[in-house]
């Protein structure tokens, strides 16, 4: 059996950005503390007319364009998010219509905090391997919520990435994937609540670090790799600090993790976070490059992937869809007032809306 | 209260800009229509689905300040008439830009966006808008 | 076969145009109707039929079935007078006149009332912008944020760019309307505005501002039409409907060949002039559908009062009451007011008053023919009438 893996990939990051200085100004905090404390220099903000469906569609279209994929060859679509526009009614159906996928189609929305998108990757990989489908698309996408004044407001951002998996024309083979799972309530949002709640420092050691580091070590052990054997490592990035610290604990160097570390510039795109980091790596990777990619979802669990970039990547015109570098360069800055309007934090009266 | 089937049946047209091509004269139409205004009855049964590229050029534009309720959060917004490279001309919003960046002749491409919502509990209507083509 | 039985305007009546907070849809209709009955010297029960022009009562007032409502409240529920509502959005009034005209032409009726009514001020908030957008293509214009003002602005920007025309040319239409309306006691606005005021008011849909846009007015207008045989038999005086034309064009603005020419107006005006057997030079004055200033400019060019792109040569100097071609002596849609369904009928009231020499301070000297121009939506239907002559 041919080894399955990533056939194409595409991302979308809204062009609007806000700086911690602007948020800190409103809440009377010291922006330098934020920048040093969580290492976030700016975060992306969705337009008033953007949500997880629109972001997912744009990311999917970029993946389809880049891989020259015929949408009717896509047999499954799974979308991971914790900000699906509907509580009941799938985002996956909207995406399937918007890309022109076939009526016979496996589809569902997933939720596992920030790792539902990578759970989707594992799902479609299994379906490709079993011969159920030719291509499958997994999307991680969020317009994440952070309560005004909460520390999450500095990081909760918007963006998403679509990965198309198959076993022909594979640009990055998935050598192995595994997951760890435990019931650890570090971060949650109850049904009907507008903003999530987090356990503050509890989100660190027992949650993010335990799961991310365990999954990474289990992966390296099972494929017989050491940190120095990898060209790139990318982790879930709730802020700029956590993934850097995890990388260092595991023994990775800055050279290995810097290209996939996007949170300092776009904030935490939740379900899109690790996948968008991987997208940035694929933008620049060369044949033979080895990548360790590990997501983390609160609640809690981690999905780990060991990938090898193939010669096929040189046949792909990676510039035919927007690269992460391009989306990082082309931005429009918002002040807090416009940000509040965009994020619907201003309550409109009935007379207006 | 809300709008369902009327919106739903336009899904392909608004999500993917599926228009029609007259099988008799070859002219492309978007928005779709069942009868070609050139070929009349000769076109009946020969209007075939065709997907637009979504790329085009601004024919005219306005900045709308007096907005209906569905667009109050976006006001002022840019509304334009756009001539698609595929042939047809249509009406749509240009987003993610400022009016000073847009002029007659500016090239644009389509994006997938939320158009309106049926209140807080109703269906969300999606469709095409345009952004400046970089 | 064209019948020789001409149709005449026997009398007219109107309500005040404007914000009539304390008056209902039915009250202003009845008021206009009774004024027309009074002016004609007839009795309501003598009517063979009534046609009512109305555009939006269903959405604004939640009231359809306007025809039956109006005949009942006119007090003729027991008199068996067929009453129908005619809808052609902002041209509903002119369309109702046309239907009444045909009913007399056919020989079926001799005495017909045509009313037009709209209550535009019943709602608060921006809901009215959505409702008025129902005159556009709901699925492919209004759905994406198109409003009547926005569509007119798209025409205006393209026109201004292609012909290097400034805002002053558009503003001149509104200035002229306000000046004339100041002499019309039923007009919505009685104030005169300067070119500078007109050019620099609040933006609505750029490049159009508040002074480029007709207001939301309540109002009702009514005329009584009669056959030639009725006029002769009763020894009445009136004004002849000399010619008319209705023309269609693509529904949505984006489907048209030009953003600043309404083909429907070009052909409707030609038909009307042909049927009246006159040329544009014979027209003494015109009432044009300037719901937005740019539409006034386009109308002047589409009908041939000015070459394409050259309306600027006449609007700043020749459209006043004493000018070469007086435009909108009533005050037009901008200043007399714009109750959608009433507007087209209201133009006939003005034509009647002017041609009978009853227009008071705004009277044009010895007019012979009036041209009346009414438009549905952004030009999907145009209706042109020529009134006057022997």
């Amino acid at each position: 059996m041919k080894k399955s893996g990533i056939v194409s990939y595409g991302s979308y990051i809204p062009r609007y950005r806000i700086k911690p200085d602007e948020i800190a100004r409103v809440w009377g905090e010291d922006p330098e503390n934020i920048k040093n404390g969580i290492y976030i220099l700016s975060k992306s903000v969705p337009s008033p007319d953007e949500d997880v469906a629109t972001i997912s569609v744009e990311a999917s279209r970029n993946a389809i364009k880049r891989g020259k994929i015929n949408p009717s060859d896509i047999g499954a679509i799974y979308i991971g998010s914790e900000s699906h526009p509907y509580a009941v009614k799938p985002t996956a159906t909207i995406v399937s219509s918007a890309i022109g996928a076939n009526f016979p189609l496996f589809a569902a929305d997933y939720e596992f905090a920030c790792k539902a998108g990578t759970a989707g990757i594992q799902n479609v990989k299994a379906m490709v391997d079993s011969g159920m489908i030719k291509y499958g698309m997994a999307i991680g996408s969020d317009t994440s919520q952070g309560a005004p004044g909460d520390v999450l407001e500095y990081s909760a951002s918007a963006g998403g990435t679509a990965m198309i998996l198959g076993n022909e024309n594979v640009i990055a083979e998935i050598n192995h994937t595994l997951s760890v799972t435990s019931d650890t309530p570090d971060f949650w949002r109850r049904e009907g609540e507008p903003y999530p709640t987090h356990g503050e420092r509890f989100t660190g050691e027992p949650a993010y670090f335990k799961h991310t580091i365990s999954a990474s070590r289990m992966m390296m052990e099972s494929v017989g790799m050491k940190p120095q054997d990898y060209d790139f490592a990318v982790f879930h990035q709730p802020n700029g600090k956590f993934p850097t610290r995890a990388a260092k604990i595991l023994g990775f160097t800055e050279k290995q993790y810097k290209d996939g570390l996007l949170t300092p510039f776009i904030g935490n795109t939740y379900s899109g976070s690790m996948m968008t980091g991987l997208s940035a790596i694929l933008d620049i990777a060369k044949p033979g490059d080895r990548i360790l990619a590990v997501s983390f979802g609160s609640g809690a669990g981690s999905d780990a992937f060991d990938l090898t970039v193939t010669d096929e990547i040189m046949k792909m015109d990676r510039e035919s869809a927007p690269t992460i570098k391009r989306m990082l360069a082309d931005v429009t800055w918002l002040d807090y007032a416009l940000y509040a309007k965009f994020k619907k934090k201003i309550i409109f009266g009935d007379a207006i809306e | 209260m809300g709008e369902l089937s009327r919106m739903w049946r336009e899904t392909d047209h608004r999500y993917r800009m599926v228009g029609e091509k007259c099988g008799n004269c070859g002219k492309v139409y978007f928005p779709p229509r069942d009868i070609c205004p050139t070929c009349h009855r000769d076109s009946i049964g020969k209007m075939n689905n065709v997907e637009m590229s979504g790329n085009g050029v601004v024919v005219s534009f306005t900045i709308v300040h007096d907005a209906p309720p569905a667009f109050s959060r976006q006001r002022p917004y840019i509304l334009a008439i756009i001539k698609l490279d595929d042939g047809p001309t249509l009406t749509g919003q240009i987003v993610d830009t400022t009016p000073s960046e847009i002029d007659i002749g500016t090239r644009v491409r389509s994006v997938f966006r939320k158009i309106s919502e049926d209140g807080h509990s109703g269906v969300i209507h999606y469709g095409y808008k345009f952004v400046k083509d970089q | 076969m064209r019948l020789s039985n001409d149709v005449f305007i026997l009398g007219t009546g109107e309500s005040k145009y404007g914000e009539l907070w304390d008056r209902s849809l039915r009250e202003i209709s009845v008021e206009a109707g009774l004024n027309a009955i009074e002016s004609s010297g007839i009795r309501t029960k003598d009517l063979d039929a009534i046609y009512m022009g109305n555009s939006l009562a269903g959405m604004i007032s939640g009231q359809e079935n306007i025809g039956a409502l109006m005949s009942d409240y006119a007090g003729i529920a027991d008199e068996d007078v067929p009453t129908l509502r005619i809808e052609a959005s902002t041209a509903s009034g002119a369309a109702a006149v046309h239907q009444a005209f045909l009913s007399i032409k056919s020989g079926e009726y001799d005495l017909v009332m045509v009313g037009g009514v709209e209550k535009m001020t019943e709602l608060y908030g921006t809901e009215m912008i959505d409702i008025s957008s129902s005159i556009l293509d709901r699925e492919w214009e209004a759905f994406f944020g198109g409003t009547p003002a926005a569509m007119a602005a798209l025409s205006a920007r393209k026109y201004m760019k292609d012909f290097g025309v400034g805002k002053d040319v558009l503003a001149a239409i509104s200035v002229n309307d306000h000046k004339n309306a100041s002499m019309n006691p039923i007009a919505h606005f009685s104030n005169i505005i300067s070119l500078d005021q007109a050019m620099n008011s609040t933006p609505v849909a750029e490049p159009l501002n508040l002074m480029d846009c007709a207001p939301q007015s309540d109002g009702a207008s009514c005329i009584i039409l009669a056959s030639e045989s009725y006029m002769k038999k009763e020894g009445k005086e009136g004004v002849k409907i000399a010619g008319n034309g209705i023309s269609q064009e693509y529904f949505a603005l984006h489907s048209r060949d030009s953003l600043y020419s309404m083909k429907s107006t070009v052909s409707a005006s030609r038909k009307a002039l042909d049927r009246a057997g006159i040329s544009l030079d014979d027209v003494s004055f015109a009432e044009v559908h300037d719901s937005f200033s740019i539409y006034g400019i386009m109308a002047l060019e589409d009908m041939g009062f000015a070459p394409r792109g050259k309306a600027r040569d006449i609007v700043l100097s020749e459209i006043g009451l004493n000018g070469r071609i007086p435009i909108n002596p009533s005050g037009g849609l901008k200043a007399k007011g714009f109750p959608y369904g009433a507007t087209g009928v209201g133009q006939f009231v003005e034509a009647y008053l002017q041609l009978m020499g009853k227009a008071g301070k705004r009277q044009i000297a010895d007019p012979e023919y009036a041209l009346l121009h009414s438009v549905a939506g952004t030009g999907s239907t145009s209706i042109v009438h020529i009134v006057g002559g022997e």
Side-chain angles (χ1 to χ4, degrees):
Chain A
M1 191 174 75
K2 277 194 276 186
K3 211 185 261 182
S4 62
I6 297 165
V7 170
S8 187
Y9 67 100
S11 297
Y12 178 79
I13 304 164
R15 65 174 294 119
Y16 294 101
R17 301 282 189 281
I18 189 167
K19 289 183 171 160
D21 310 65
E22 184 59 19
I23 299 170
R25 180 179 68 80
V26 172
W27 301 111
E29 297 191 53
D30 180 358
E32 294 312 313
N33 278 349
I34 304 296
K35 289 185 216 171
N36 296 332
I38 60 174
Y39 186 38
I40 284 180
L41 308 174
S42 64
K43 71 161 188 172
S44 62
V45 181
S47 275
D49 59 358
E50 291 184 307
D51 61 17
V52 163
T54 68
I55 289 169
S56 301
V57 168
E58 291 296 330
S60 305
R61 285 178 176 172
N62 285 337
I64 287 166
K65 195 166 157 193
R66 184 178 271 140
K68 298 192 176 77
I69 305 286
N70 180 350
S72 52
D73 286 339
I74 295 173
I77 299 174
Y78 294 97
I79 304 181
S81 179
E82 54 180 82
S83 46
H84 288 291
Y86 292 90
V88 178
K89 198 214 161 292
T91 308
T93 57
I94 299 168
V95 173
S96 72
S97 269
I99 64 168
N102 278 346
F103 186 46
L105 179 78
F106 298 102
D109 286 4
Y110 281 177
E111 189 279 312
F112 192 143
C114 298
K115 83 166 187 76
T118 53
I121 294 180
Q122 294 173 325
N123 199 140
V124 293
K125 173 179 158 45
M127 294 173 87
V128 167
D129 289 345
S130 71
M132 281 174 80
I133 56 174
K134 181 180 181 189
Y135 293 135
M137 184 159 67
I139 301 166
S141 168
D142 256 303
T143 54
S144 39
Q145 313 95 342
D150 186 49
V151 65
L152 281 183
E153 192 176 21
Y154 293 96
S155 60
S157 70
T161 290
M163 297 276 173
I164 299 175
L165 275 77
N167 53 22
E168 287 170 21
N169 309 316
V170 172
I171 60 162
E173 290 174 346
I174 298 177
N175 305 312
H176 189 46
T177 179
L178 60 82
S179 296
V180 296
T181 306
S182 79
D183 190 15
T184 309
D186 60 315
F187 172 107
W188 63 90
R189 182 166 67 84
R190 291 278 299 275
E191 178 71 44
E193 289 296 307
Y195 300 112
T197 308
H198 56 89
E200 300 175 353
R201 290 186 58 77
F202 183 74
T203 61
E205 291 308 331
Y208 179 84
F209 292 106
K210 178 184 161 188
H211 293 84
T212 305
I213 288 167
S214 303
S216 302
R217 284 185 176 149
M218 284 164 70
M219 174 56 77
M220 287 191 277
E221 195 173 321
S222 63
V223 294
M225 294 282 287
K226 293 191 171 55
Q228 57 269 28
D229 300 332
Y230 286 98
D231 299 282
F232 299 100
V234 59
F235 304 97
H236 174 56
Q237 314 163 19
N239 52 53
K241 272 279 163 71
F242 276 24
T244 313
R245 212 176 117 204
K248 283 178 182 159
I249 290 168
L250 286 163
F252 289 98
T253 62
E254 190 185 354
K255 185 172 173 293
Q256 290 166 296
Y257 67 72
K258 69 172 173 26
D259 294 300
L261 185 60
L262 303 177
T263 294
F265 315 105
I266 63 170
N268 181 7
T269 57
Y270 284 52
S271 302
S273 177
M274 183 279 261
M275 289 174 67
T276 308
L278 180 57
S279 175
I281 290 169
L282 292 173
D283 279 345
I284 56 169
K286 301 178 304 296
D289 282 349
R290 195 79 178 244
I291 304 166
L292 176 70
V294 183
S295 65
F296 168 73
S298 288
S302 273
D303 302 331
F305 300 84
D306 177 276
L307 303 107
T308 304
V309 178
T310 73
D311 294 339
E312 286 291 323
I313 204 162
M314 301 315 289
K315 295 184 199 158
M316 173 182 265
D317 178 8
R318 282 179 274 182
E319 293 284 336
S320 62
T323 59
I324 298 296
K325 199 175 168 189
R326 241 160 84 191
M327 287 186 277
L328 292 184
D330 188 22
V331 305
T332 303
W333 295 101
L334 297 178
D335 61 15
Y336 194 88
L338 275 172
Y339 165 76
K341 174 180 158 182
F342 277 31
K343 287 291 285 176
K344 301 188 168 46
K345 292 183 195 294
I346 298 172
I347 299 166
F348 276 33
D350 281 348
I352 296 172
E353 201 167 47
Chain B
M1 198 186 91
E3 291 166 325
L4 214 53
S5 53
R6 205 192 94 216
M7 299 296 184
W8 165 76
R9 76 175 67 94
E10 305 298 347
T11 300
D12 283 353
H13 310 133
R14 288 183 180 150
Y15 282 21
R16 288 189 289 127
M17 301 181 88
V18 175
E20 314 251 29
K21 183 173 185 172
C22 174
N24 198 52
C25 72
K27 194 170 174 197
V28 176
Y29 295 96
F30 190 90
R33 45 175 78 228
D34 294 337
I35 296 174
C36 170
T38 304
C39 304
H40 306 290
R41 64 172 290 184
D42 296 335
S43 67
I44 294 170
K46 295 180 190 164
M47 300 297 279
N48 304 312
N49 284 352
V50 56
E51 208 168 312
M52 303 296 120
S53 68
N55 300 316
V57 63
V58 174
V59 177
S60 189
F61 70 101
T62 174
I63 303 123
V64 182
H65 295 265
D66 273 14
F71 303 99
S72 53
R73 200 174 278 271
Q74 292 158 45
R75 75 177 192 275
Y77 57 88
I78 302 172
L79 188 78
I81 288 192
I82 290 152
K83 167 104 173 131
L84 295 175
D85 297 345
D86 314 85
T89 304
L90 52 70
T91 303
Q93 287 188 31
I94 302 177
V95 292
D96 284 10
T97 188
T98 54
S100 61
E101 296 285 309
I102 300 297
D103 207 344
I104 290 172
T106 300
R107 283 207 60 82
V108 293
R109 63 182 170 84
S110 68
V111 291
F112 185 80
R113 294 293 172 103
K114 199 155 67 174
I115 308 292
S116 57
E117 311 176 17
D118 270 347
H120 296 290
S121 60
V123 172
I124 303 167
H125 308 302
Y126 296 94
Y128 52 81
K129 290 186 183 180
F130 294 84
V131 295
K132 204 175 165 185
D133 201 9
Q134 299 301 334
Chain C
M1 185 182 71
R2 291 180 64 84
L3 300 172
S4 59
N5 193 9
D6 284 334
V7 177
F8 292 81
I9 307 167
L10 177 57
T12 65
E14 292 188 282
S15 75
K16 175 97 174 75
Y17 276 23
E19 293 171 327
L20 310 178
W21 305 117
D22 56 347
R23 318 223 53 211
S24 70
L25 183 72
R26 59 189 80 183
E27 283 173 335
I28 59 174
S29 301
V30 168
E31 180 188 357
L34 290 181
N35 288 342
I37 292 286
E38 188 75 23
S39 143
S40 310
I42 61 167
R43 298 189 69 82
T44 316
K45 64 184 178 61
D46 300 335
L47 293 170
D48 292 321
I50 301 175
Y51 292 89
M52 288 294 304
N54 174 263
S55 179
L56 299 172
M59 296 179 83
I60 298 174
S61 309
Q63 183 67 65
E64 303 287 10
N65 207 359
I66 299 291
L69 172 73
M70 294 315 166
S71 71
D72 183 354
Y73 275 77
I76 51 170
D78 290 329
E79 307 296 334
D80 196 16
V81 179
T83 309
L84 296 175
R85 171 207 180 164
I86 305 294
E87 194 276 325
S89 91
T90 46
S92 295
V97 173
H98 186 64
Q99 292 307 304
F101 172 88
L102 292 177
S103 75
I104 293 173
K105 270 287 189 198
S106 72
E108 182 73 15
Y109 299 143
D110 284 305
L111 192 64
V112 177
M113 174 185 274
V114 188
V117 64
E118 212 73 58
K119 269 296 286 184
M120 305 280 286
T121 65
E122 304 286 61
L123 305 170
Y124 65 96
T126 54
E127 186 65 24
M128 196 54 206
I129 300 174
D130 184 64
I131 289 176
S132 61
S133 302
S134 65
I135 70 172
L136 308 174
D137 187 330
R138 175 63 73 180
E139 306 297 357
W140 305 108
E141 291 179 323
F143 175 79
F144 292 99
T147 66
M151 304 324 285
L154 291 166
S155 293
R157 186 179 301 273
K158 182 80 171 134
Y159 179 88
M160 291 164 75
K161 166 116 177 178
D162 283 5
F163 299 109
V165 167
K167 286 265 310 167
D168 56 328
V169 175
L170 273 62
I173 293 283
S174 304
V175 169
N176 177 66
D177 274 2
H178 272 260
K179 191 176 175 191
N180 293 345
S182 73
M183 293 173 271
N184 183 347
I186 74 111
H188 188 148
F189 295 120
S190 57
N191 62 315
I192 288 173
I193 59 169
S194 69
L195 202 62
D196 192 51
Q197 277 175 310
M199 287 167 65
N200 296 301
S201 62
T202 314
V204 172
E206 295 177 53
L208 300 182
N209 61 40
L210 200 57
M211 288 299 131
D212 292 299
C213 305
Q216 288 172 7
S217 316
D218 303 325
S221 294
C222 190
I223 61 175
I224 307 293
L225 296 184
S227 66
E228 190 168 23
S229 61
Y230 180 92
M231 300 296 281
K232 281 190 177 142
K233 193 175 73 192
E234 301 290 326
K236 300 276 191 186
E237 272 196 358
V239 174
K240 189 168 87 174
I241 296 183
N244 54 30
I246 299 192
S247 291
Q248 298 295 134
E249 155 74 299
Y250 283 96
F251 189 47
L253 181 63
H254 55 232
S255 304
R256 316 248 174 91
D257 292 339
S258 167
L259 295 189
Y260 45 71
S261 169
M262 296 180 189
K263 267 204 262 184
S264 59
T265 293
V266 173
S267 56
S269 61
R270 274 187 203 141
K271 280 191 225 175
L273 289 166
D274 283 354
R275 286 180 183 163
I278 64 168
S279 75
L280 209 57
D281 292 338
D282 299 319
V283 172
S284 313
F285 69 94
E287 286 279 322
V288 302
H289 189 96
D290 58 348
S291 47
F292 299 96
S293 56
I294 181 66
Y295 289 168
I297 298 286
M298 287 159 61
L300 294 178
E301 297 180 3
D302 282 338
M303 296 194 287
F305 290 112
R308 183 68 57 206
K310 298 287 185 192
R312 64 180 150 199
D313 295 344
I314 63 169
V315 293
L316 292 160
S317 57
E318 295 180 40
I319 62 169
L321 291 179
N322 302 314
R324 183 171 66 78
I325 176 66
I327 298 297
N328 293 349
S330 70
L333 278 57
K334 170 66 189 81
K336 180 186 176 186
F338 187 28
Y340 279 16
T343 290
V345 182
Q347 292 179 337
F348 281 84
V349 175
E350 184 66 15
Y352 176 83
L353 295 176
Q354 289 286 352
L355 294 168
M356 295 293 281
K358 296 177 178 176
K361 279 197 270 186
R362 63 184 193 283
Q363 181 65 48
I364 291 163
D366 301 321
E368 190 182 3
Y369 285 102
L371 183 152
L372 312 178
H373 165 247
S374 196
V375 169
T378 57
S380 49
T381 306
S382 287
I383 304 178
V384 174
H385 282 91
I386 305 292
V387 178
E390 291 305 309

